[in-house]
Amino acid sequence: MAASDLTSETVQIDIVSDVVCPWCIVGYRQLEQALEMTEVTAELRWHPFELNPSMPPDGQNLIEHMAEKYGASAIQSLENRARLQHLGADLGIAFNFTDHSKIVNTFRAHQLLDWAEEHGKQHPLKLALFEAYFSDGLDVSDKGVLTQVARSVGLNAADASEVLTSGAHAQSVRAKQQFWTNRGISGVPAMVFGGKYLLTGAQGAPTYADILRKVRAETAAV
């Protein structure tokens, strides 16, 4: 949404998330439902967070990662996947997990998103990266994949490649990550409504609808 489209009743929503976080796309789709339910006009801004900042370039098998980080057994991992796939189906998300699915480093992806914001393409790129990772099984740490996804939303592929090669947005991303961690954000999704109400985790459309109505009423009253 362009700044010229904003009104006094527009609700600002800041979303701190990672592109390999399934609950981030679930939470966003629930937020979409809430926006439709309430007919609230919102301006969305995405902010960077890395679930696994020390993840090596080659990534790690997802089942192994869940066992190592959360102590989840292979059976528990499969049950969690099934739960996500069922939930995703109701929200229009295709979680296509396989035994070869990997968790990957997302610092490059966040740099690309930071650059895309300057060109008014951050939101479509974010959604395209979610789809690339969860539905298409692509490695969103790979420069070629990231360039391809950038092109798919109308960004210049050569410019995207240069951004990733140069690391021109690395410092900006680190600063933004630090901004949110300094404010107590330790898990995602984390959504800040109207600059003052924080909801963490995928809270469901009814909860998001309630907070949207509250913020809209407060904004309109100012």
Side-chain angles (χ1 to χ4, degrees):
M1 179 181 298
S4 60
D5 296 328
L6 303 181
T7 71
S8 61
E9 295 186 14
T10 296
V11 174
Q12 174 69 50
I13 306 174
D14 293 281
I15 309 176
V16 187
S17 77
D18 199 355
V19 297
V20 296
C21 166
W23 296 106
C24 289
I25 181 58
V26 167
Y28 170 71
R29 291 300 184 198
Q30 293 172 341
L31 175 63
E32 269 192 331
Q33 291 181 333
L35 288 167
E36 291 178 4
M37 290 164 55
T38 60
E39 298 184 341
V40 166
T41 300
E43 181 190 18
L44 304 180
R45 292 188 303 200
W46 296 92
H47 303 281
F49 186 94
E50 289 179 85
L51 287 172
N52 304 284
S54 60
M55 182 61 61
D58 292 338
Q60 183 180 21
N61 177 274
L62 188 54
I63 292 178
E64 294 176 1
H65 175 75
M66 297 301 289
E68 182 179 301
K69 186 172 183 178
Y70 302 106
S73 67
I75 292 177
Q76 288 173 322
S77 290
L78 290 174
E79 290 174 345
N80 289 337
R81 289 181 179 190
R83 178 188 173 200
L84 275 169
Q85 287 172 324
H86 178 75
L87 181 59
D90 291 337
L91 294 167
I93 309 165
F95 285 117
N96 294 325
F97 298 114
T98 73
D99 290 340
H100 303 291
S101 293
K102 294 171 62 177
I103 191 79
V104 299
N105 189 293
T106 55
F107 187 47
R108 276 182 168 175
H110 287 302
Q111 292 176 64
L112 195 67
L113 286 161
D114 197 58
W115 168 71
E117 184 177 15
E118 297 177 353
H119 300 275
K121 294 286 188 178
Q122 187 194 52
H123 182 67
L125 179 62
K126 184 77 173 190
L127 299 187
L129 287 169
F130 278 136
E131 183 174 2
Y133 179 69
F134 289 113
S135 301
D136 301 333
L138 298 176
D139 181 353
V140 292
S141 68
D142 181 80
K143 178 181 172 183
V145 168
L146 290 170
T147 302
Q148 175 186 342
V149 177
R151 181 192 296 116
S152 75
V153 299
L155 288 162
N156 182 280
D159 290 345
S161 179
E162 174 58 26
V163 165
L164 296 172
T165 299
S166 69
H169 285 255
Q171 185 174 352
S172 173
V173 170
R174 290 299 187 214
K176 290 175 181 179
Q177 289 174 324
Q178 192 64 44
F179 175 89
W180 291 105
T181 55
N182 285 348
R183 281 153 182 78
I185 302 299
S186 59
V188 289
M191 301 187 191
V192 181
F193 294 79
K196 60 180 180 178
Y197 298 111
L198 169 66
L199 291 179
T200 58
Q203 292 288 330
T207 298
Y208 290 137
D210 287 344
I211 197 70
L212 285 169
R213 293 187 187 100
K214 177 181 178 67
V215 177
R216 178 176 60 182
E218 293 178 353
T219 302
V222 174

